[in-house]
Structure formats: structure tokens, C-alpha cells
Amino acid sequence: MSYLTFVLKERRLLSFGLSFTFFSSFGQTFLISLFVPYFLQEFQLSNAGFGSLYSAATLTSAAVLPWLGKWIDHIPLRLYSTCVAVGLVIASFMVAISWHVGLLFVGLLLLRLAGQGLSSHTAQTAMAKFYDHQRGKALSISNLGYPIGEAILPLGVTALLTVFHWRMTWATILLIIACIMIPFIHIILRKEEGELEEDNQTVSQNSDADYSYMRILSDYRFYFLFPAVLLPPFWATGFFLYQVSVAESLGWTATLIASAFVMFAVARILSSLGVGPLIDLFKARTIFPYYMLPMAAGFVFAFYHPGSWSAFVYMALLGATMGMGGAIKSALWAELYGTKTVGTVRSMFSALMVFSSALSPFMMGWLIDNGTPMTTILFWAVVTTLVGTLLAMCAFSSRVRLFFSRLNR
């Protein structure tokens, strides 16, 4: 089935997935980073201090995510997605009224949980669960919400910040979610509710026969795959949260790196669309080990940074990896562990990804505050990415599989 035919036939459910990845932007690092200077000034925090606060909020959300994420396998999608949207509304409200750093922490925690965690989880789990032969295309379409948000929302938020106080900007975000996102969920899922609810009931009846967390942890492939799962969000979160410091260290201006985000969004869109048919044709397990290589190449360009043009190459290559990764990883869990409890499985891996993104702000903030050269950080980013690629290749190696089968006898 061609892309156009597929989109026209499944436009309602695909629109649902795309909208949730778009609204997940309000809990993503790239948007929260726009408010960091205001947070530092308002609450008298250092880079390392805010990084610790942000990491703690993200770690807490990662701890809660597996428990909340599994419920998408057991309750109607319409109810589940509405609860996630309400969580985003509450999160925006908490940030807007935060008069103490403790309230800011609660707001950041809810943003990371409902935004980065559950909004993304809802979209990608729905696509992986309700599509089989066209799963790659469905995930690619729904993942377009990420680059669309990255292309539109920073400009919109920056414009609001030039007119309104940062608290009023969050109040505006609250109104957008409450007045657009929640009504849209009820409208778009009304027609499909019966079919989706029936599917969820079937999942609940068969859940005892499917993978549990312990069975996943006993799978040797898990340990070979999780570095490749963790590294892109780890490095992207750190470099994006402190993008101004990164730009200054590499001889780029803040305006230049902000402009380069356009290339990031374009590359993410093209790679996301391009990888969907490849997943349907070759399977995600074939492509997964190599999806981090563009990011590694981007770090190499940033390391040498011969001129301003390298900022655009760096962001484009990062965008390529992030665009492919969203679709490949969600499809991979469905291939490896089945679709009946894909929400449970994916919530576990999502928690690990959130955990990795929680460590990055603290580490990057500490390194920057202590004068570590950005080229040193980039060097280790390249090394770890290549090691993660090699380990992912081993996960599907017949020799490794034979070794572990003999080991378990």
C-alpha cells in the first residue's frame, strides 16, 4: 500500500498519533530549554543546580512510567489518552504558578512524565498495536509530530516570551492543551472507539501468556540493545538543554544553532518517512543496529567544526538518527515481544530512555561548569555511539545466539 493510500484510509487514527507526538513537545527538552535562563534567574540556580533538579524530575518520571504505561494495554485508548492530556494541563499549571523551587520540580516532573513519557508512549504504542503489515508507515507518520513541534513551537514560544512573562506563556500553553488537544482526542477517537476497545479487551484476556518485565530482563538481547536505545536521548538531551553553551564553545552563535534546528526538523521528517517502508520491507531488527551512525557522524562534524556550515550538518545528522529511531524502536518491540502487550514492553524501554535523558543534564551541567572542553565531550559521544552500534549488531548475531543457547543448557 502506498503512503498516500494508507494515509487517506487511516487518516483519523494516524492524526491521533501525530497529534500526541506533537503535544509531547511541551515536555521535551528542546522546548523546556527555552525557559532555562528564566528559571536560573527566578530561582537563583546554577547550571549544575538546575541540571540536578531536571535530572531528579526526569528520574522520578522514569520510575513511574512503567506502571502508568502498561495501562494502555488494559483500558480504552480514548480514556487513557484523555488522562495523559489532563496530566499535561496540570503540569503546565504547576509551572505557571511555581513560586518556590519545590513547585517547579513538581511541574517539571509532570511535564516530563505526561509530555516526554506518556504522550510519546501513547502515540507509538497505539500505532504499533493496531497496525501489523503497515506498522512502519504508521509509526513514521505519527512520528512526524516530533519535527513539526520542533520546527513550530520554539518560534511560537520565543514570540510569546517577547510579549508575555514566562509564567503567562505557560498559562497560554495550558489553554492550548485544554482547548485543542482534549476535544480533539474525543472527536478523533469517537468513530474508532468500539474497535479499539474490543482490541484492548482481547489484550487483557491474553496478558498472562505474554511477556512480563522479568521475562524481558532474562532475554540476553535486552542487554545488547539497551545502550543503542539509551544513547541518542542521552546525548540529544544534554546537547539541546545546553545548546547556547555548546554553540559558544564551538565558535557558533546562539542564533546560528537556533537556525540549524530547521535542518534538524527537516532531516527528522525525511528520515522518519523514509524508514517506514524499509521497516515494512526488511523488518526493524535488520535496520536497528545502524540507526545511530548518522548521529556519530554529526558529532564528528561538530568536533572539527571548520565553519558555520558544520552546525547545519551536525543538526541534520542528529535529526536523521532521531527520526529513524522513533519508528524503528517501537516496531522492534512489537517484532521481538509481540503486539498484545506492546504497551507494557514499550513502557519499560521508555522508562530506560527517560532515565538516560535524566542523567545527561546533570553530567553536562557539571562538565560545563568545571570547564571541560566541548571537544572532549564530543569525542566520548562518538566513542559511546560506536560501541552501542557494535553491541546492537551482536544482539542479532547467530554466533551470539548460539553462545547463549549453549550457556542456558
Side-chain angles (χ1 to χ4, degrees):
M1 188 183 298
S2 69
Y3 253 124
L4 182 59
T5 304
F6 176 65
V7 170
L8 292 176
K9 181 181 178 182
E10 303 291 340
R11 58 187 179 276
R12 293 178 67 88
L13 193 54
L14 292 176
S15 298
F16 167 82
L18 190 148
S19 68
F20 258 83
T21 54
F22 175 83
F23 279 100
S24 75
S25 299
F26 294 116
Q28 300 283 3
T29 298
F30 77 88
L31 190 134
I32 296 174
S33 67
L34 299 174
F35 295 90
V36 170
Y38 301 97
F39 293 154
L40 298 181
Q41 182 179 1
E42 180 80 18
F43 300 100
Q44 298 181 350
L45 296 169
S46 64
N47 281 319
F50 176 76
S52 300
L53 185 76
Y54 193 72
S55 294
T58 307
L59 282 171
T60 307
S61 73
V64 178
L65 184 58
W67 184 78
L68 293 178
K70 70 179 182 180
W71 286 102
I72 196 172
D73 289 328
H74 305 289
I75 64 176
L77 182 61
R78 189 177 181 185
L79 173 60
Y80 187 88
S81 55
T82 300
C83 292
V84 173
V86 171
L88 265 179
V89 170
I90 297 172
S92 303
F93 176 74
M94 294 300 297
V95 175
I97 67 165
S98 58
W99 64 84
H100 185 272
V101 69
L103 286 176
L104 176 65
F105 171 78
V106 174
L108 291 173
L109 164 61
L110 293 175
L111 280 175
R112 298 297 277 166
L113 177 61
Q116 183 208 29
L118 292 175
S119 292
S120 300
H121 175 67
T122 300
Q124 296 183 342
T125 300
M127 298 301 104
K129 180 187 291 289
F130 299 117
Y131 293 102
D132 188 7
H133 299 296
Q134 306 295 328
R135 183 181 295 126
K137 294 186 184 71
L139 287 165
S140 294
I141 296 296
S142 68
N143 285 341
L144 291 180
Y146 296 124
I148 293 173
E150 290 157 358
I152 295 175
L153 291 178
L155 295 175
V157 169
T158 302
L160 288 174
L161 287 171
T162 60
V163 179
F164 301 118
H165 191 272
W166 66 268
R167 295 183 186 276
M168 184 58 66
T169 300
W170 276 107
T172 305
I173 291 172
L174 183 156
L175 291 174
I176 291 172
I177 297 169
C179 297
I180 298 178
M181 185 180 185
I182 294 177
F184 181 78
I185 293 169
H186 285 260
I187 293 171
I188 208 71
L189 291 184
R190 185 176 301 160
K191 184 177 180 181
E192 285 81 3
E193 187 175 23
E195 178 184 345
L196 300 181
E197 198 168 335
E198 180 182 348
D199 199 289
N200 270 349
Q201 289 173 354
T202 303
V203 167
S204 297
Q205 293 169 1
N206 293 282
S207 61
D208 290 339
D210 293 313
Y211 276 86
S212 67
Y213 291 133
M214 293 307 298
R215 292 179 69 183
I216 298 169
L217 291 173
S218 65
D219 182 1
Y220 77 90
R221 294 173 298 183
F222 168 82
Y223 301 96
F224 285 93
L225 293 173
F226 85 83
V229 174
L230 304 188
L231 286 169
F234 176 86
W235 288 117
T237 297
F239 285 120
F240 287 173
L241 187 63
Y242 296 107
Q243 58 183 288
V244 175
S245 298
V246 172
E248 292 174 352
S249 300
L250 297 177
W252 302 332
T253 64
T255 303
L256 179 67
I257 198 70
S259 301
F261 261 98
V262 176
M263 292 300 299
F264 178 87
V266 170
R268 188 163 184 169
I269 291 172
L270 295 177
S271 63
S272 180
L273 288 174
V275 80
L278 295 178
I279 292 172
D280 295 334
L281 185 62
F282 298 110
K283 301 298 182 184
R285 68 184 69 194
T286 304
I287 307 169
F288 178 82
Y290 310 103
Y291 89 102
M292 289 197 302
L293 293 179
M295 183 177 74
F299 291 146
V300 171
F301 273 99
F303 182 88
Y304 288 105
H305 58 92
S308 298
W309 62 271
S310 62
F312 293 90
V313 177
Y314 155 73
M315 292 298 289
L317 291 171
L318 241 64
T321 286
M322 301 305 288
M324 290 188 291
I328 292 173
K329 285 182 281 192
S330 294
L332 182 65
W333 311 145
E335 290 178 13
L336 295 182
Y337 304 112
T339 59
K340 294 189 183 301
T341 53
V342 67
T344 302
V345 175
R346 194 187 177 283
S347 66
M348 180 177 180
F349 283 98
S350 295
L352 291 172
M353 288 188 285
V354 174
F355 179 82
S356 73
S357 66
L359 297 177
S360 185
F362 171 76
M363 189 199 77
M364 289 285 287
W366 185 84
L367 290 173
I368 292 171
D369 285 346
N370 285 274
T372 303
M374 192 57 60
T375 51
T376 301
I377 299 174
L378 286 167
F379 171 78
W380 285 110
V382 172
V383 171
T384 55
T385 301
L386 293 178
V387 170
T389 298
L390 292 174
L391 289 174
M393 293 170 67
C394 291
F396 303 112
S397 168
S398 58
R399 292 183 179 180
V400 173
R401 183 173 61 253
L402 179 62
F403 171 80
F404 279 97
S405 64
R406 290 176 176 174
L407 193 66
N408 292 329
R409 288 176 183 174

